[in-house]
Amino acid sequence: MKKIVISVLVILFGINYIYAAEKVVVGAKAFTEGYILSSMVSLLLQENGIKVVEKFGLSSFPLRKAMETGQVDAYVDYTGTAWAAYFGHTENIYDPEELFDLVAKEDLEKHNIVWLDMINFNNTYGLAVRSSFARENGIHSLSDLADYINSGKGKDLIFGVNPEYYERSDGIFAVMDEYDMNLPRKNVRTMEAGLTYEALARKNIDVAMIYSTDAQILRFDLVILEDNKSFFPHYNPSVLVRKEIIDAYPEIKEILKPLTLYLNEDIIIRLNYLVDFEGLEPEIVARKYLHGLGFIK
């Protein structure tokens, strides 16, 4: 009887392994950029003969849990999110390569999750101004902005930030302290994050807190000021894959290299724009981009 039970278990295990190896479940975070990036993952895998099941549209924590429990095999996530939200670290790591290495090591050791190569853009916080304002005043970095404010020319500038970033200990006033911007607190106004872009374009404010790959940067012709002191945390994306899947499909690393080689901040902003303001579906945007590069038919 014992031999029969063992044999049944072996057969069942073998069936499960074969089933798992026949398909890869690709997840996607429920926002434009998440859909575009995971669509690229799905399309590249399918183009190279790997069957894919898509589970798109999950928020960060449910998607992460699905990954850890084997319900999702691959998706795109961000170094800063893993470091602070998933792993609970409070120390800021300002070197993007060091941060990537730390989260990749911890995830592999604790969860058998492999981080592929880091994708070459950083979806983090930033401060932006109108391109005309930057051009007219020679302002390209946050240090340039500080010099402009402290010279007296910018003493009346108005900043717009969302309420959370106004209150956070590492928020707007920490930025101003780091860059020695001598501007009164009353010059900082709170508004919902999505409204800062339009308020800036309409000249209701002069400096806006933004997310650095938001399509509205392109829509309103804004300039993100260089964080030349590397104050803002890094949120570099990478494709995460369960180690079991990498072991079954070691070619995945090579298949997904186009994301590392051919994406950057300017490109992802334009791709986000095509979805958010031109009305194209993320899968269509991803398909057209990869087809244009010659990676899919």
Side-chain angles (χ1 to χ4, degrees), residues 16-261:
N16 285 336
Y17 180 79
I18 292 168
Y19 179 72
E22 283 182 344
K23 63 178 182 178
V24 173
V25 180
V26 177
K29 288 194 171 190
F31 69 111
T32 297
E33 189 169 292
Y35 286 125
I36 292 172
L37 293 174
S38 286
S39 292
M40 288 186 181
V41 172
S42 178
L43 289 166
L44 287 168
L45 293 179
Q46 291 178 70
E47 182 70 16
N48 286 274
I50 297 175
K51 293 181 180 178
V52 169
V53 174
E54 295 179 347
K55 285 189 177 179
F56 286 9
L58 297 174
S59 57
S60 291
F61 284 101
L63 183 52
R64 174 67 192 192
K65 179 58 79 173
M67 185 77 165
E68 291 179 3
T69 57
Q71 298 172 69
V72 167
D73 298 316
Y75 79 108
V76 177
D77 214 326
Y78 298 79
T79 53
T81 304
W83 181 252
Y86 304 149
F87 304 157
H89 298 298
T90 56
E91 176 193 3
N92 280 333
I93 306 295
Y94 293 107
D95 182 311
E97 296 289 348
E98 180 186 0
L99 179 59
F100 179 83
D101 290 343
L102 287 170
V103 296
K105 182 174 185 291
E106 184 166 348
D107 226 1
L108 182 59
E109 291 177 350
K110 292 184 177 179
H111 304 290
N112 281 322
I113 292 173
V114 176
W115 288 60
L116 303 186
D117 294 336
M118 186 169 69
I119 299 172
N120 188 33
F121 68 83
N122 180 22
N123 186 355
T124 188
Y125 300 100
L127 293 181
V129 297
R130 294 179 297 278
S131 61
S132 57
F133 176 85
R135 187 170 56 252
E136 289 164 8
N137 296 288
I139 296 174
H140 307 289
S141 69
L142 292 177
S143 287
D144 291 340
L145 180 64
D147 290 341
Y148 183 77
I149 290 170
N150 297 339
S151 72
K153 295 177 183 177
K155 61 184 177 62
D156 295 322
L157 291 183
I158 301 297
F159 283 54
V161 304
N162 68 25
E164 177 191 348
Y165 207 64
Y166 185 92
E167 298 290 344
R168 283 171 48 157
S169 61
D170 62 344
I172 186 59
F173 296 109
V175 177
M176 293 169 72
D177 285 344
E178 176 69 19
Y179 281 93
D180 193 27
M181 297 180 189
N182 297 316
L183 197 70
R185 290 178 73 95
K186 67 181 178 62
N187 286 42
V188 181
R189 298 176 183 172
T190 59
M191 57 188 66
E192 291 305 312
L195 300 179
T196 58
Y197 300 91
E198 191 164 353
L200 185 56
R202 291 184 174 184
K203 300 186 179 181
N204 295 326
I205 61 175
D206 303 294
V207 182
M209 186 220 84
I210 51 84
Y211 300 106
S212 59
T213 62
D214 196 304
Q216 295 197 81
I217 295 164
L218 182 60
R219 180 189 183 193
F220 292 116
D221 191 23
L222 307 180
V223 171
I224 303 172
L225 298 179
E226 179 192 353
D227 177 22
N228 55 292
K229 292 187 178 181
S230 300
F231 175 85
F232 296 116
H234 286 269
Y235 290 85
N236 290 94
S238 173
V239 183
L240 279 60
V241 186
R242 292 196 304 115
K243 187 175 184 300
E244 177 184 345
I245 298 300
I246 286 290
D247 290 343
Y249 299 100
E251 68 270 26
I252 281 179
K253 293 182 180 181
E254 192 65 30
I255 289 171
L256 297 181
K257 274 201 170 175
L259 277 74
T260 305
L261 297 175

